[in-house]
Coordinates of all heavy atoms in Angstrom, one line a residue:
I4 N 101.0 88.6 96.1 CA 101.0 87.2 96.5 C 102.2 86.9 97.4 O 102.1 86.3 98.4 CB 101.0 86.2 95.3 CG1 99.7 86.3 94.6 CG2 101.4 84.8 95.7 CD1 99.6 85.5 93.2
E5 N 103.4 87.3 97.0 CA 104.5 87.1 97.8 C 104.5 87.9 99.2 O 104.9 87.4 100.2 CB 105.9 87.5 97.2 CG 107.1 87.5 97.9 CD 108.4 88.0 97.2 OE1 108.2 88.4 96.2 OE2 109.5 87.9 97.9
S6 N 103.9 89.1 99.1 CA 103.9 89.9 100.4 C 103.0 89.2 101.4 O 103.2 89.6 102.6 CB 103.3 91.3 99.9 OG 101.9 91.2 99.8
T7 N 102.1 88.3 101.1 CA 101.3 87.7 102.1 C 102.1 86.8 103.0 O 101.8 86.5 104.2 CB 100.2 86.9 101.6 OG1 100.7 85.8 100.8 CG2 99.4 87.7 100.6
G8 N 103.2 86.2 102.4 CA 104.0 85.2 103.1 C 103.3 83.9 103.4 O 103.7 83.1 104.2
L9 N 102.2 83.7 102.7 CA 101.4 82.5 102.9 C 101.5 81.4 101.9 O 101.0 80.3 102.1 CB 100.0 82.8 103.2 CG 99.8 83.9 104.4 CD1 98.3 84.3 104.3 CD2 99.9 83.1 105.6
F10 N 102.1 81.7 100.7 CA 102.1 80.7 99.7 C 103.5 80.0 99.6 O 104.5 80.6 99.6 CB 101.8 81.4 98.3 CG 100.5 82.0 98.1 CD1 100.1 83.2 98.7 CD2 99.6 81.2 97.4 CE1 98.7 83.5 98.4 CE2 98.2 81.5 97.4 CZ 97.8 82.8 97.7
Y11 N 103.4 78.6 99.4 CA 104.6 77.9 99.4 C 104.5 77.1 98.1 O 103.5 76.6 97.8 CB 104.8 77.1 100.6 CG 105.0 77.8 101.8 CD1 104.1 78.7 102.4 CD2 106.5 77.9 102.2 CE1 104.5 79.3 103.6 CE2 106.8 78.6 103.4 CZ 105.8 79.4 103.9 OH 106.0 80.1 105.1
T12 N 105.8 76.8 97.4 CA 105.8 75.9 96.3 C 105.7 74.5 96.6 O 105.7 74.0 97.7 CB 107.1 76.1 95.6 OG1 108.1 75.6 96.4 CG2 107.4 77.6 95.2
K13 N 105.5 73.7 95.5 CA 105.4 72.3 95.7 C 106.7 71.6 96.5 O 106.6 70.6 97.0 CB 105.4 71.7 94.2 CG 105.4 70.1 94.2 CD 105.1 69.7 92.8 CE 104.8 68.2 92.8 NZ 104.6 67.7 91.4
L14 N 107.8 72.3 96.4 CA 109.0 71.9 97.0 C 109.1 72.4 98.5 O 110.0 72.2 99.2 CB 110.1 72.5 96.2 CG 110.3 71.9 94.8 CD1 111.4 72.6 94.1 CD2 110.5 70.4 94.8
G15 N 108.0 73.2 98.9 CA 108.0 73.6 100.3 C 108.7 75.0 100.5 O 109.0 75.3 101.6
K16 N 109.2 75.6 99.5 CA 109.9 76.9 99.6 C 108.9 78.1 99.4 O 107.8 77.9 98.7 CB 110.9 77.1 98.5 CG 112.0 76.0 98.7 CD 113.1 76.2 97.6 CE 113.8 77.6 97.7 NZ 114.9 77.8 96.8
P17 N 109.1 79.2 100.1 CA 108.2 80.3 99.9 C 108.0 80.7 98.4 O 109.1 80.9 97.7 CB 108.9 81.4 100.8 CG 109.6 80.7 101.8 CD 110.1 79.5 101.1
L18 N 106.8 81.0 98.0 CA 106.6 81.4 96.7 C 107.0 82.9 96.6 O 106.4 83.7 97.3 CB 105.2 81.1 96.3 CG 104.7 81.4 94.9 CD1 105.4 80.4 93.9 CD2 103.2 81.3 94.7
T19 N 107.8 83.3 95.6 CA 108.3 84.4 95.4 C 107.6 85.1 94.1 O 107.3 84.5 93.2 CB 109.8 84.6 95.2 OG1 110.3 84.0 94.1 CG2 110.4 84.0 96.4
A20 N 107.7 86.4 94.0 CA 107.2 87.1 92.8 C 108.1 86.8 91.6 O 107.5 86.5 90.6 CB 107.3 88.7 93.1
Q21 N 109.4 86.5 91.9 CA 110.2 86.3 90.7 C 109.7 84.9 90.2 O 109.9 84.8 88.9 CB 111.6 86.1 91.3 CG 112.7 85.8 90.1 CD 114.1 85.6 90.6 OE1 114.4 85.9 91.9 NE2 115.0 85.5 89.8
N22 N 109.3 83.9 91.1 CA 108.9 82.7 90.6 C 107.7 82.9 89.5 O 107.5 82.2 88.4 CB 108.3 81.7 91.6 CG 109.4 81.3 92.5 OD1 109.1 81.2 93.8 ND2 110.6 81.1 92.1
L23 N 106.8 83.8 89.8 CA 105.6 84.0 89.1 C 105.8 85.0 87.9 O 104.9 85.2 87.1 CB 104.5 84.6 90.0 CG 104.2 83.6 91.1 CD1 103.0 84.2 92.0 CD2 103.4 82.4 90.6
Y24 N 106.9 85.8 87.9 CA 107.2 86.7 86.7 C 108.0 86.0 85.7 O 108.3 86.6 84.6 CB 108.0 87.8 87.2 CG 107.2 88.9 87.8 CD1 107.5 89.5 89.2 CD2 106.0 89.5 87.3 CE1 106.7 90.5 89.8 CE2 105.3 90.5 87.8 CZ 105.5 90.9 89.0 OH 104.9 92.0 89.6
S25 N 108.1 84.8 85.8 CA 109.0 84.0 84.8 C 108.2 84.0 83.5 O 106.9 84.1 83.5 CB 109.2 82.5 85.1 OG 107.9 81.9 85.4
K26 N 108.8 83.9 82.4 CA 108.2 84.1 81.0 C 107.6 82.9 80.4 O 107.2 82.9 79.3 CB 109.1 84.8 80.1 CG 109.6 86.3 80.5 CD 110.4 87.0 79.6 CE 110.9 88.3 79.9 NZ 111.8 89.0 79.1
N27 N 107.6 81.8 81.1 CA 107.2 80.6 80.6 C 105.5 80.7 80.7 O 105.0 80.4 81.7 CB 107.6 79.4 81.3 CG 107.2 77.9 80.7 OD1 106.3 78.0 79.8 ND2 107.9 77.0 80.9
N28 N 104.9 80.7 79.5 CA 103.4 80.8 79.4 C 102.7 79.6 79.0 O 101.6 79.7 78.4 CB 103.1 82.1 78.6 CG 103.4 83.4 79.3 OD1 103.4 83.5 80.5 ND2 104.2 84.3 78.6
N29 N 103.5 78.4 78.8 CA 103.0 77.4 78.3 C 103.2 76.1 79.2 O 104.0 75.2 79.0 CB 103.6 77.0 76.9 CG 103.5 78.1 75.9 OD1 102.5 78.2 75.3 ND2 104.6 78.8 75.6
P30 N 102.4 76.1 80.3 CA 102.5 74.9 81.2 C 102.0 73.7 80.6 O 101.2 73.8 79.7 CB 101.6 75.4 82.5 CG 100.7 76.4 81.8 CD 101.5 77.2 80.8
L31 N 102.4 72.6 81.1 CA 102.1 71.3 80.6 C 100.5 71.2 80.6 O 99.9 70.5 79.7 CB 102.7 70.2 81.4 CG 102.7 68.8 80.8 CD1 103.4 68.8 79.4 CD2 103.4 67.9 81.8
K32 N 99.8 71.6 81.6 CA 98.3 71.4 81.8 C 97.6 72.6 81.3 O 96.4 72.9 81.8 CB 98.1 70.9 83.2 CG 98.6 69.6 83.5 CD 98.4 69.2 85.0 CE 99.1 67.9 85.3 NZ 98.8 67.6 86.8
K33 N 98.1 73.4 80.4 CA 97.4 74.7 79.9 C 96.0 74.4 79.5 O 95.2 75.1 79.7 CB 98.4 75.2 78.9 CG 97.8 76.6 78.3 CD 98.7 77.1 77.2 CE 98.1 78.4 76.6 NZ 96.9 78.2 75.8

């Protein structure tokens, strides 16, 4: 996903693999 360079977060920053490897598995809208 990061390698595409096409995904951006809600804050307008490039979405990184580190963002998606975080261990929080309980999002508010799960």
